[in-house]
Amino acid sequence: MSTQSEAKLENDLIAQLTEAKFEPVKIENAAALKANLKVQLERVNKITLAEREFENVLISLEKGNIFDKSKRLKGKVDVVHDDGTISYLTLLNTDAAKNIFQVTNQVTMHGKYENRYDVTILVNGLPLVQIELKRRGIEMAEAFNQIKRYDKHTFGAEGGLFNYIQLFVISNGVNTKYFSNNRELSFKQTFHWTDVDNNKINVLHQFADAFLNKEHLTKMLSQYIVQNETGKFLMVLRPYQFYAVEAIVEQVKTSDKHGYIWHTTGSGKTLTSFKTAQILSRLDNVDRVVFVVDRKDLDYQTAREFDAFLKGSVDSTGDTKSLLNQFLGSRPVPKQSANASGNSANDGEPLLQVAEYSPIYSSNVNRINKLTITTIQKLNNLITKPRFKGQVEHLRQERVVFIFDECHRSQFGETHQNIVEFFEKAQLFGFTGTPIFADNATAKKVEDKGLSATKSRKRTTKDLFGERLHSYVIVDAIRDDNVLPFAIEYYGKLKHKQTGLDADVSSIDIAEFFSSPKRIKQVCEHIIGIHKFKTKHKFNAMLCVASVPDLITYYDTFKALKAEGKHKLNIATIFSYGINEAEEFEGEVNVKGLAEANAKVHSRDKLDSYIGDYNEQFGTSYSTQDTDSFYNYYKDLSNRTKNGEVDILLVVNMFLTGFDAPNLNTIYVDKNLKYHGLVQAFSRTNRLNGTVKSHGNVMCYRNLKPQADEAFALFSNKQPTEHIEVPDLEGLTEDFAKALEALKAIAPDVQSVDDLPDEDMQAGFIKQFRILMRLKNQLETFSDFDIEALGISEQEFVDYASKYGDLARELKGNPTDKESILADIDFELELLQRDNVNVGYIRHLLQTMLEESCDDAKDKKRQVIANLLASEPTLHSKRHLIEGFIEKSLQGLVQGEQFDEYIEEQKQKEISQIAEEEKLDSDKFGEMVTNIENGLNVESLKSDDIAQLTTEKMTFRTRRTILPRIAEKLKTFAETFIEGFH
């Protein structure tokens, strides 16, 4: 039976497009292409062009490069008629019904060489989509390389109309991908199309149905091609980005509900949110789109990235005054009338007119900008500070759409409440790579304006933004090669000097040990020893530590070791400091003796000295003396880290979120992390950067394995629990009464707290009052809560709270003398474990699943494993094998520790089945399997190697069929039973 030819594939596609109402047209060469273009432009624009006029159109169309032509495609081309009048030709309509779609094939173009193109889709006469096909069995990379060759030799020839191509499609029938017309692209930047649930649509005729239909193709060409102004190249949205934007736009068009997008860290949320904001700002029923970020550093990065997508599309505000000016634009400020209390809206101050604030975003003071980027802090100032709030009162009824970057960081406080209360018609949409679910929610303080009190409340992302509109989780991104997998190594073992017993780091949680200069020096020396191997002399790294004091010790240690000639690494740092901090830090560390100087310094002084080192290294002049200088230091440090000029960036919290540096491939972690914080930090390393960067290195100097397993399980599960169960009022009331009774037993009244005899009793009071506070916070969420009915007045509770706060601070500052563990413990830096997402990792998850005692917990773990199997490319071939083991284990037919025996049993069955089906010599086949297990590459086998296995007599004709079939079965066997198990 013959295989499908390339010509058959081509003809079938053309027939399918013709069936979908694409007009078939025969275009043999450039002359025919231009003649057809004239006809179609006349049809779509309802105009007749004289030959001279059309020649002028062609001259206009020929100008510029690919980037210029893509921008021209979205605009119009003017035609000057003989009578002096001017017409404007539309090249591409946003409404599919107004475009003319044609399909042709085998267009021949002459440039440096002659090339013939497979299938071309013309829209209004312009070639906008080029499809290159290869017969089944040929890799798509060949089609990609062919397009690159066409681009070099003929796309720009004979008028350059083929440089109007926006999208390329490559397919071998069973696999299909698309990509934008970008000369700098590699094959890794070609994309599969998917359905809304991220299931790939690979088969060509299915891809054509989903992607090449008129409506979808018009959307992709007119809205979802992005011109990157910085690099002057085209970008196209990936399917999950498309579905996210479409979901938000549909929500805005059809309802007033909010929503959020869960797209994993590193998947391109900035591009997605930009395109969302851009499309929403063009809707007539939307007055304003505001893109909100959490800090000034993110404001800078996001504004720069937005500006790269479209120059001038976003105006980054410098302060609240300019944000006010931007909101008001040229609209008149209404006269402010006295409010109900007789005071002016500005608390007695005359309102300052907007003209007083010179806008920083444009020389045109009167321009109203529908798209604004700002920080949540400035936005909150605008709607809460009387000086500003009074001037925007008249905007309350505007339809404002807010888009929040990394919404879990910026929206769990009173600012959220302020926004929805002020902008009465606001719609809020959040983007996050790590949502807050029930499992990782923590209590946050929220101001209750009605009670003038502060409450603590656990809230999920769903609580604030409503339904999740689209998901794209970390295993999806790794599967699609949109981010890299992680290789996680855990270092550090404690050894008691006298007993010799080993204990891993998780069993010790004493700040003295972790902050010990001796231990930190060991970690520094270990990092120096492995850095060049982990970064391959090509990449750089980040080191995140637990606190500013630890950071200071780390920096000073690295600096001293450099002075001793132990390394030549460029170490730089940045951290936040408190203006009036009480804590001071020890001076320079003497690494040789690990002695500390007596002089104490403020952390800001230390940071200034470190910035001084940076200035000396790079010839800059930054400091913390003013906000602008510090901000400029942040920007310069960010750029130099991205460019690889900084070898190790040392941080506490800054740069662990919202910082994308493809050149960074390693993070050293000496800090307790969990859930979203852990995934965000680890994800600094997994941005794509060519083929030499295969994974992100995570080097942990604390035992974070349980936290890492838990975090990746949570954020790989597409069905997380998003509702937090709140205990009922009756149960909480009973618990509060018991806790209050226990507190009174320790301290019957407020004054008796002062008489507690020792620190153990004081610690007992602190612990018990903390329980009482937690219960009170939960009770306050009920509308009929009355503390007086619980046996304690509000005043008495507040008085106890004052004693609690002062006593807790006193005990923290003056701990009882304890024997130091440092004299008894050795810290040994040895590799404890290395985790990759492979069969070994799945085996570990299987064991933990089977050890769960309840069915719900087992189902949750099973879903995590199913997601990994479906999403991790290296596990695809093992999916049915592992799922079969799970079924048998849940039925009690096998035990968890029998996994390897089960795999071996299935392997032997498969060997027997292949031998029987293909009539193979069992001994020879068994020998070949052994060789494959020992490292023989199946791809290197020659036809004669495979032929000697079979006992069947083959003719020349049957040999061409049988041997490739056996080779394919061998390859599948190796992928399923051998690769990835060790």
Side-chain angles (χ1 to χ4, degrees), residues 82-109:
D82 292 337
D83 60 2
T85 60
I86 301 177
S87 297
Y88 299 94
L89 300 181
T90 296
L91 301 180
L92 176 66
N93 289 295
T94 57
D95 183 352
K98 295 179 180 178
N99 291 319
I100 298 168
F101 291 85
Q102 297 173 293
V103 59
T104 189
N105 66 322
Q106 299 299 315
V107 178
T108 302
M109 298 293 290

Side-chain angles (χ1 to χ4, degrees), residues 476-493:
D476 292 326
I478 293 173
R479 173 202 63 192
D480 295 341
D481 291 329
N482 287 330
V483 298
L484 299 171
F486 300 109
I488 310 170
E489 295 182 2
Y490 300 95
Y491 285 89
K493 181 169 284 191

